[in-house]
């Protein structure tokens, strides 16, 4: 009956066994399994632990105890139980898969991947392990491998909802947005009702990135019909309404998202961009970190291949024009270094190259270049505090767009540079028709644009402005983004 899914009848019969023999291992163990299946993991833990007191050498009971502990959110204890199962039976493929799931919940993705691959080495035709491997590969930013792993799972189990969603997520990260939408559509046809809102939300994100704003809005509204308190869907819906220039609807949606518990700092920033609330001095640190952590795996490809990003090359060309084709600097600092796009250009110019960025996932990519002598994960203004006369050059490519107020940053950079040191950076140009009393404003892309007079005023305290250039920094929705390049030099005392 248990194997047929007739859980209530099986539970009653196990109970009859236990009335006759309260120490009967199988009845205790499998009663625990049924309680977990019926949604009571706490009782499952009690029953399986009682079974293990009778016979602690049963690998499957240890593994099932781990599964119930995971349901309770006790992931470290679950890992101990699963490891106990594997000590008793190292060839237990299901336990290796469950170990991977537990490690993933603990944030130990590389170890989780190893566990899934051990499961597949023992049982190649294991669709759950292929699917979970795809999920962790996506977590690790290996989206092409994640898509291939999800396809393996689907080859064994057509219509496997978790694998379809993992495939959609991988394709979206690879910027294959129409294919991602198709995968999400297949997921919606296969997934249980409880999962539908999450999938509609992911589908909305893929459509927005494709520029299909009306269809994206419909997906978010579908998600909210299914789960009216879905804060993330409401927040993303507001972003689409803003992109559609539906200001009043966007304001209402942002406020609703805030009521539902969406990130208050991010919401306040978006509202300020719409003229509701005080203009912030910078983008919220958590917003910037989250944006670039999510972006890290495909940052270079998207920025260079899709957005035609050219700021590092433009800044270094200006430096070469001023300092000569082969400048020999003792030290250079790459502010907001990201994945290290500037490093190949800066490395030939300086004997020592340092980088600092708020996103650890971006820095992981920067480390792989092998071009930096020093990398730090920190807020750049805080990190510069107390540093005096360390660098001959500081470069900030596409960084000041996350700062409105520039004077505090400029002061720290001036202190960190050696006498006569250089500061090269880019800003986005504030449109002449923008009303910006402060000298800066937030654009529709949640970035700051600055007026030239404001930049010069902030620079005046510590720098001489040596050169400025108008430039097209990148493209956005197919249109050029206008900016300015600046080369400053620390004032001589």
């Amino acid at each position: 009956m248990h194997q047929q899914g007739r859980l209530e009848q099986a539970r009653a019969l196990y109970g009859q066994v236990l009335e006759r023999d309260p120490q009967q291992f199988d009845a205790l163990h499998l009663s625990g399994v049924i309680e977990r299946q019926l949604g009571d993991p706490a009782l499952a833990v009690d029953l399986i632990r009682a079974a293990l007191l009778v016979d602690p050498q049963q690998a499957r009971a240890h593994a099932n105890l781990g599964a119930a502990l995971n349901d309770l959110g006790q992931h470290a204890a679950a890992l101990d139980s699963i490891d106990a199962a594997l000590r008793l039976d190292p060839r237990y493929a299901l336990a290796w898969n469950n170990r991977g799931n537990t490690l993933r919940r603990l944030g130990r993705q590389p170890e989780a991947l190893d566990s899934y691959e051990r499961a597949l080495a023992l049982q190649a035709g294991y669709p759950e392990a292929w699917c979970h491997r795809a999920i962790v590969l996506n977590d690790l930013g290996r989206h092409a491998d994640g898509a291939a792993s999800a396809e393996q799972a689907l080859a064994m189990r057509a219509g496997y909802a978790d694998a379809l969603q993992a495939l959609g997520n991988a394709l979206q990260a690879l910027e294959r947005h129409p294919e991602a939408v198709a995968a999400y559509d297949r997921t919606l046809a296969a997934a249980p009702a409880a999962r539908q809102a999450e999938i509609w939300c992911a589908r909305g994100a893929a459509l927005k990135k494709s520029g299909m704003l009306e269809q994206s809005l419909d997906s978010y509204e579908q998600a909210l019909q299914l789960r009216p308190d879905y804060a993330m869907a409401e927040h993303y819906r507001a972003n689409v309404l803003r992109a559609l220039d539906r200001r009043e609807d966007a304001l209402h949606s942002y406020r609703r998202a805030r009521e539902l518990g969406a990130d208050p700092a991010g919401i306040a920033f978006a509202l300020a961009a719409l003229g509701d609330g005080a203009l912030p001095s910078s983008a919220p640190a958590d917003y910037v970190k989250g944006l670039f952590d999510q972006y890290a795996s495909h940052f270079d490809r998207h920025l260079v291949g899709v957005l035609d990003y050219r700021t590092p090359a433009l800044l270094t060309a200006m430096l070469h024009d001023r300092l000569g084709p082969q400048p020999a600097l003792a030290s250079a600092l790459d502010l907001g270094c990201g994945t290290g796009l500037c490093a190949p250009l800066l490395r030939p110019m300086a004997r020592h190259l340092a980088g600092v960025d708020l996103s650890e996932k971006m820095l992981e990519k920067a480390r792989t270049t092998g071009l930096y002598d020093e990398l730090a994960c920190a807020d750049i203004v805080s990190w510069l505090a107390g540093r005096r006369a360390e660098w001959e050059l500081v470069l900030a490519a596409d960084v000041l767009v996350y700062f409105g107020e520039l004077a505090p940053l400029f002061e720290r950079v001036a202190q960190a540079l050696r006498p006569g040191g250089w500061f090269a950076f880019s800003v986005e140009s504030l449109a002449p028709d923008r009303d910006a009393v402060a000298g800066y404003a937030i654009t529709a892309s949640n970035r700051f644009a600055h007026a030239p007079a404001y930049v010069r005023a902030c620079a005046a305290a510590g720098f001489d402005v040596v050169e400025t250039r108008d430039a097209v920094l990148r493209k956005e929705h197919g249109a050029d983004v206008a900016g300015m390049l600046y080369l400053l030099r620390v004032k001589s005392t």
Side-chain angles (χ1 to χ4, degrees), residues 87-393:
R87 284 193 293 272
L88 292 164
D89 183 2
R91 298 188 60 77
Y92 189 1
L94 184 145
W96 281 112
N97 177 66
N98 289 350
R99 184 175 191 270
N101 294 342
T102 306
L103 288 163
R104 186 159 50 86
R105 292 184 178 106
L106 288 166
R108 294 161 59 179
Q109 270 72 6
E111 295 170 81
L113 179 59
D114 177 72
S115 288
Y116 295 135
E117 291 181 345
R118 286 175 181 262
L120 291 165
L122 293 166
Q123 186 179 327
Y126 191 171
E128 289 87 355
W130 282 111
C131 174
H132 298 150
R133 179 177 180 270
I135 292 168
V136 81
L137 285 165
N138 282 341
D139 290 344
L140 291 167
R142 294 173 52 186
H143 301 296
D145 292 336
S149 195
E151 293 280 17
Q152 287 277 7
L154 290 164
M156 297 168 199
R157 186 189 300 172
Y160 184 1
D162 288 349
L164 283 166
Q165 188 169 357
L167 176 61
N169 293 344
L171 292 169
Q172 184 172 174
L174 292 167
E175 300 183 21
R176 293 161 58 182
H177 301 306
E179 295 170 77
V181 171
Y184 292 135
D185 286 341
R186 292 168 63 195
T187 313
L188 287 166
R195 294 270 306 283
Q196 297 274 322
E198 174 189 343
I199 299 157
W200 279 111
C201 194
R203 183 179 185 271
L207 286 163
K208 183 176 186 292
K209 291 172 185 175
S210 299
M212 302 173 71
L213 298 180
E214 294 289 354
Q215 296 91 325
S216 173
L217 181 63
D218 178 70
S219 281
Y220 291 130
E221 290 177 346
Q222 293 282 354
L224 288 161
Q225 283 182 15
L226 293 165
R227 196 195 304 174
D229 62 349
Y230 195 174
M232 184 170 71
E234 189 68 72
H235 190 171
Y236 290 177
R237 175 177 179 268
N239 291 341
V240 176
L241 289 166
R242 180 179 167 195
L244 288 167
D245 291 327
R246 291 171 54 179
R247 180 179 181 275
E248 292 304 318
D249 291 334
L251 286 169
H252 176 78
S253 189
Y254 280 126
R255 291 169 187 148
R256 172 68 177 149
R258 182 173 56 193
E259 290 170 6
L260 293 172
D263 170 39
I267 297 291
F269 188 65
L271 288 170
L274 290 169
D276 181 15
L279 183 65
S281 62
S282 63
D286 286 346
Y287 163 77
V288 177
K289 181 181 184 303
L291 176 69
F292 285 103
D293 279 351
Q294 183 182 46
Y295 203 12
S297 63
H298 58 290
F299 178 79
D300 293 8
R301 181 180 65 253
H302 180 75
L303 208 58
V304 177
V306 178
L307 302 184
D308 194 22
Y309 179 61
R310 59 188 76 177
T311 309
L314 294 171
L315 284 172
T316 51
M318 185 167 65
L319 283 166
H320 285 306
D321 289 347
R322 180 65 55 171
L323 304 180
Q326 294 182 313
L329 302 172
S331 57
L333 172 62
D334 188 359
L335 276 186
C337 62
T339 59
L341 282 174
C342 292
L345 302 169
L346 289 174
R347 178 78 266 183
M349 300 170 62
R351 293 192 297 276
H352 183 92
L353 178 60
V356 58
D357 199 275
L358 195 58
S359 166
E360 181 57 46
K361 290 189 176 180
M362 298 288 271
L363 287 172
E364 288 171 6
K365 300 287 185 182
R367 287 188 188 96
T368 65
T369 68
L371 296 173
Y372 291 95
D373 300 295
E374 174 189 356
L375 285 168
C377 184
D379 171 81
I380 61 177
V381 177
S382 300
W383 186 79
L384 285 168
R387 295 178 177 267
R388 298 288 187 275
E390 292 191 31
W391 292 282
E392 292 185 38
L393 167 67

Side-chain angles (χ1 to χ4, degrees), residues 472-487:
V472 173
L473 303 178
R474 67 179 198 287
K475 292 187 179 294
E476 192 169 291
H477 305 305
D480 290 344
V481 174
M484 290 194 71
L485 310 178
Y486 286 83
L487 182 60

